[in-house]
Amino acid sequence: MTDPSASDPLGLTLQALLNQPSPAADACLGLARQLYQARRFPEAEALSAHAVAVHPDARDLWNIRGVLLRMLRRLPEAIAALDQALRIDPAFSGAMINRGNVLLDLNQNEAALETFTRAVRLDPQGAIPRAMTGRALLRLGRSEDAIQHFRDATQLRADYVEAWQILVSALTDLDRWPEADTASAAALLANPDNIQLLETRSLLLRVSGRYGDAEAFLAERLRRTPDAAWAHFHLGDLLVLGNPERAIGHLRRALALAPGQPDHAYALLRALGGSVAGDEGAKLDEAFALARQLAATGDQTPARTALLRDAFARVCAFEDIAGLGSFESLGRSWAGTGLNASLMYHMAQANTPERARELVAQHRLWGEGIEAHAGRTPIPPVPLRTTGKVRLGFMSSDLRDHPVGKFALPLFDHIDRDRFEVFAYSFNRGEADPIQAHIAQQVDAFRCWPEITSREAARRIAEDQLDMLIELGGPTAMNLPQVMAWRPARLQASWLGYPHSTGLSAVDRFICDPFNAPTSPDLLIETPMLMPKSWIAMSRMLLASVPAAQHDLPERRRGYLTFGTANNPYKYTAEGLALWARVVAAVPGAHFAFIRPEAGSQAFRLNVEAAFALEGVTADRIEWHVTRGGHLTAYSDIDISLDTFPLTGGTTTVEALLMGVPVVSLAGEAFFQRLSRSILTNAGLTDLCADTPQAFEAIAVGLAANEGRRLALRRSLRARLEASPLGDAESFARDFYEMIHREIGPKSAPRTAD
């Protein structure tokens, strides 16, 4: 029989040395280094223990033993081993550097700095001691000194790639973009074909907002080296938001050139989820299968778990979501690493009072990190204007053909020009559409900065000397809520685009109304600022985009009653699907219709069918309307819309009512749980809003039995909405500007400059 160890020459050599009572020091050191390179740390550590017992005065053996113990996270033992190496040779610079690294791991940053400084004295021309001293200085907040040490390291060794990378990163973290750009260019001049530095350059261009330059840089690299997997990956990842179809092509190529690269696979997962062209359902199924493969590896960072969660949420794979981690651990991992956009999908899982409050804490965790960065990189103070009209700013990349733009239009169509100057700020990277052009004509100034950093945007906004700035987008695509952390305006507020606190203490107010305001102050970070009736109103453009509603009941035409939803599946929960299914089961012959592009996904259909089957609803009673953008006409087949919870509908609730379809909703404590409650109350339909799942079911079943009321609503809901506060855009704008004017108060109030 063949000895299996014969296929492992390192293992054979290891056993031979371990079996020798006095192996040669050089042989042990050489094999330990090979095992280290192979990441076989436990075996290498066992060899080092044997070797130092035989050769207690061999400094190099003690040194590599310290390195191996560090890899195994046995940090106190690592310090002891490295101290022994330094006792043998106090001038051993390499052991001193390794000792400093362990001290950094232990967060003993002052001690690490002292150790690295000693290494510099021992080796004044050594680049590595300089760079490591810079690392310790960064940890201690001494950025200027750290940057100088990184510069010195690159001067001493122009091919020291890691030092160049850290220098660019340190300058970037301080928003010193021109210096970072110069350093990046110098690094590539000295190392023109180094892939790590090429990647650093492309990422620098991207994070500094120079998306066009980043795309051109990567395209040029691919022209030179068409099979550069790294360039295909970065170009694909860059294009995901603007052109997911092109992104998918580059990412597939990257994976073909470098199979098994997890970063490439996760980027492809993101692109597949963002594509709306062609067979969207097939792409979602591909993304779901890929997500399951990646989840099985267990090699996830916060960014990766966010992508997995998004892929699972699109197809209602709730068990897969649960397998990624707890509500608290996932949310805090995303918030702590700056992934605030991932908290939007997390909102649907905040289905208990405890989770609702934990969600607030997660947003605040993100906000603390951003505000700490803003505190390190303040913008220049701007004198406060004490005369003239009130200057009010609106900041959102969605001031275009987008639900946010359409609901914000009344404020631009009915500006209180006697008392206000209005400014608008957008970071939209697409072409201006008619709604954006219309808003630009209405305001005193429209600033569109598609390629800009958050700090620079804050600096420019501050120069407009606003009395108040309102952020409308939250962490959604192309929006920059972090701009508010630099406090570019005296008073700052959040409204409309994101149904939760952003997490920034620099945002002072949260605009809502008496019907959707949270029931407890600990469910908001900001102070609520209440509109008297509704927090939104329908614009003329929104109304014009809605087709005419049919006045007959779908039930009469089709022979059975149909419940349905057009809400995004990221708002769905297992409990929500079960409740919908129980409602359907309670109404003989009733169907449920999903009006979503996800309805084309086999995984979505199977998961939904399984959830409904648990409540006794067979698959033939579920209808699939596969649509994107043309969903409103599908309401002609819907009798009653059932709302999502705990994250309720907003735009979808308004649209359903405009199409003559009543909406049954379940309200909770938090703002995001009360959006439909406000809409229904302002429309005079408070009785369609429940406080418990049992009441929700009773209301839905009762409405299904009341054909007369449903017929009356079908014929009157649009007119009813237009006659309500939701339809009075002029009064809404008047109330809004009056509320702002009262809130701002005297123009001489001090502006916080931080």
Side-chain angles (χ1 to χ4, degrees):
M1 182 179 291
T2 303
D3 183 352
S5 64
S7 63
D8 180 16
L10 287 180
L12 281 172
T13 307
L14 173 63
Q15 288 304 315
L17 290 176
L18 289 174
N19 289 332
Q20 293 180 28
S22 300
D26 288 347
C28 292
L29 182 63
L31 181 59
R33 286 172 173 165
Q34 290 182 67
L35 290 167
Y36 173 84
Q37 292 296 328
R39 303 189 66 79
R40 293 168 64 168
F41 304 132
E43 294 165 283
E45 184 275 326
L47 175 61
S48 72
H50 181 54
V52 297
V54 176
H55 304 284
D57 295 327
R59 66 163 205 173
D60 291 325
L61 286 173
W62 282 108
N63 179 51
I64 197 166
R65 176 162 177 75
V67 171
L68 291 164
L69 289 165
R70 181 191 178 211
M71 293 298 102
L72 294 170
R73 309 309 296 167
R74 292 159 58 180
L75 301 182
E77 294 176 75
I79 289 287
L82 294 164
D83 283 346
Q84 182 62 25
L86 289 167
R87 275 191 286 271
I88 297 166
D89 181 1
F92 190 0
S93 175
M96 206 164 287
I97 291 170
N98 289 328
R99 185 179 191 276
N101 285 332
V102 180
L103 290 169
L104 286 180
D105 293 343
L106 290 166
N107 285 320
Q108 296 180 21
N109 301 319
E110 290 284 3
L113 176 60
E114 181 183 349
T115 300
F116 290 135
T117 303
R118 287 169 58 199
V120 170
R121 286 197 295 267
L122 288 170
D123 184 12
Q125 295 305 307
I128 293 177
R130 297 272 179 181
M132 297 314 300
T133 303
R135 278 188 179 275
L137 288 165
L138 272 185
R139 288 279 196 94
L140 293 166
R142 294 169 56 182
S143 301
E144 289 299 330
D145 291 340
I147 286 169
Q148 187 57 53
H149 276 76
F150 297 136
R151 292 191 196 279
D152 291 345
T154 59
Q155 289 296 312
L156 289 166
R157 236 185 76 189
D159 65 345
Y160 192 176
V161 170
E162 185 181 7
W164 283 114
Q165 289 179 300
I166 302 171
L167 173 60
V168 173
S169 176
L171 291 166
T172 299
D173 287 344
L174 293 170
D175 288 339
R176 290 163 59 171
W177 302 104
E179 293 176 76
D181 187 74
T182 300
S184 173
L188 279 175
L189 187 64
N191 307 273
D193 296 315
N194 184 274
I195 291 177
Q196 292 170 283
L197 292 175
L198 288 167
E199 289 186 287
T200 298
R201 178 70 177 169
S202 70
L203 290 171
L204 171 66
L205 293 170
R206 180 173 176 175
V207 299
S208 62
R210 295 163 59 185
Y211 304 105
D213 289 346
E215 183 176 348
F217 174 79
L218 291 165
E220 172 60 19
R221 297 309 306 184
L222 286 173
R223 187 187 67 77
R224 296 184 190 180
T225 52
D227 291 337
W230 71 268
H232 281 289
F233 161 62
H234 283 291
L235 183 54
D237 197 45
L238 176 70
L239 293 170
V240 164
L241 285 180
N243 194 331
E245 292 307 307
R246 277 186 63 201
I248 289 170
H250 283 290
L251 294 168
R252 290 196 195 285
R253 182 65 178 147
L255 272 173
L257 291 165
Q261 286 288 337
D263 285 343
H264 300 182
Y266 277 98
L268 177 60
L269 179 65
R270 180 169 174 244
L272 289 168
S275 173
V276 298
D279 190 341
E280 191 172 346
K283 292 191 180 75
L284 290 176
D285 287 333
E286 183 181 352
F288 176 56
L290 178 59
R292 279 195 152 172
Q293 292 173 16
L294 293 169
T297 68
D299 181 23
Q300 279 98 45
T301 63
R304 290 176 179 179
T305 59
L307 289 170
L308 294 174
R309 189 277 317 273
D310 294 352
F312 292 147
R314 290 288 300 278
V315 297
C316 299
F318 303 120
E319 290 185 7
D320 292 283
I321 294 174
L324 297 175
S326 70
F327 181 85
E328 178 175 335
S329 65
L330 288 174
R332 288 181 179 260
S333 72
W334 298 329
T337 50
L339 300 172
N340 59 327
S342 296
L343 298 179
M344 183 171 70
Y345 274 27
H346 212 38
M347 228 175 282
Q349 305 303 317
N351 53 3
T352 66
E354 294 76 21
R355 283 189 173 187
R357 285 156 180 80
E358 168 62 23
L359 188 65
V360 175
Q362 292 169 8
H363 281 81
R364 184 65 194 123
L365 178 61
W366 171 82
E368 288 170 349
I370 295 299
E371 287 171 341
H373 174 67
R376 293 190 296 270
T377 59
I379 59 175
V382 175
L384 178 69
R385 292 169 60 255
T386 57
T387 59
K389 298 177 183 179
V390 171
R391 285 193 173 180
L392 176 63
F394 294 93
M395 184 177 75
S396 174
S397 297
D398 300 324
L399 297 175
R400 52 191 172 92
D401 190 358
H402 182 280
V404 166
K406 291 177 181 178
F407 279 111
L409 269 178
L411 300 182
F412 302 112
D413 287 340
H414 304 287
I415 295 173
D416 182 350
R417 300 188 187 277
D418 293 335
R419 297 190 291 179
F420 286 85
E421 294 177 47
V422 176
F423 294 68
Y425 306 92
S426 172
F427 315 113
N428 177 27
R429 298 198 292 272
E431 295 293 326
D433 59 32
I435 292 182
Q436 180 173 314
H438 172 75
I439 293 173
Q441 290 179 342
Q442 298 300 106
V443 298
D444 294 276
F446 190 97
R447 323 281 196 205
C448 189
W449 301 317
E451 297 191 346
I452 197 168
T453 64
S454 300
R455 182 185 179 276
E456 179 62 13
R459 186 191 67 78
R460 294 188 194 180
I461 292 171
E463 290 180 345
D464 285 334
Q465 299 178 289
L466 301 177
D467 295 291
M468 188 172 191
L469 176 64
I470 302 175
E471 198 278 325
L472 286 75
T476 55
M478 294 190 292
N479 283 296
L480 298 175
Q482 55 267 38
V483 166
M484 309 289 264
W486 280 271
R487 193 172 277 281
R490 176 167 68 91
L491 195 66
Q492 303 190 144
S494 177
W495 174 60
L496 188 59
Y498 187 64
H500 199 279
S501 295
T502 62
L504 297 168
S505 63
V507 179
D508 308 289
R509 303 289 186 268
F510 189 92
I511 299 171
C512 47
D513 64 38
F515 313 110
N516 58 23
T519 61
S520 176
D522 61 351
L523 290 166
L524 272 184
I525 294 169
E526 310 87 350
T527 300
M529 188 161 65
L530 296 181
M531 285 287 286
K533 299 170 186 172
S534 173
W535 77 305
I536 56 171
M538 302 179 297
S539 65
R540 55 185 177 80
M541 288 189 180
L542 185 148
L543 290 169
S545 67
V546 179
Q550 294 188 7
H551 287 170
D552 64 318
L553 289 178
E555 180 186 19
R556 290 182 176 177
R557 174 167 38 88
R558 310 179 80 207
Y560 51 84
L561 185 134
T562 306
F563 297 98
T565 185
N567 269 298
N568 195 310
Y570 84 82
K571 299 180 182 181
Y572 298 2
T573 64
E575 298 83 1
L577 288 182
L579 181 55
W580 290 349
R582 287 199 297 274
V583 170
V584 175
V587 178
H591 285 209
F592 194 100
F594 288 89
I595 311 168
R596 290 297 311 170
E598 291 85 358
S601 157
Q602 288 300 310
F604 177 82
R605 292 188 180 196
L606 290 172
N607 287 330
V608 168
E609 287 173 356
F612 272 60
L614 290 174
E615 305 299 331
V617 179
T618 54
D620 60 308
R621 297 172 68 182
I622 304 174
E623 299 177 9
W624 312 105
H625 294 260
V626 183
T627 179
R628 177 171 289 280
H631 60 286
L632 293 178
T633 56
Y635 280 112
S636 63
D637 289 339
I638 309 298
D639 293 279
I640 300 170
S641 177
L642 299 184
D643 202 5
T644 49
F645 70 92
L647 177 53
T648 70
T651 301
T652 49
T653 300
V654 171
E655 289 176 341
L657 296 176
L658 286 173
M659 295 304 296
V661 179
V663 178
V664 180
S665 185
L666 174 58
E669 294 181 282
F671 178 79
F672 65 89
Q673 300 169 329
R674 301 167 71 81
L675 302 175
S676 291
R677 181 179 188 271
S678 169
I679 295 164
L680 292 171
T681 301
N682 276 288
L685 298 170
T686 308
D687 66 306
L688 297 185
C689 194
D691 293 323
T692 67
Q694 295 76 18
F696 179 99
E697 184 176 347
I699 291 170
V701 173
L703 184 60
N706 192 340
E707 182 183 289
R709 187 183 184 198
R710 286 190 286 107
L711 182 60
L713 289 173
R714 194 88 188 183
R715 294 173 175 174
S716 66
L717 265 178
R718 181 172 297 193
R720 189 171 187 160
L721 236 63
E722 291 176 349
S724 77
L726 292 158
D728 192 348
E730 188 170 354
S731 293
F732 170 81
R734 185 168 55 249
D735 289 343
F736 194 98
Y737 285 111
E738 179 60 33
M739 174 187 68
I740 299 299
H741 198 270
R742 283 196 313 270
E743 194 71 26
I744 288 173
K747 294 280 287 297
S748 59
R751 171 183 179 267
T752 302
D754 53 8

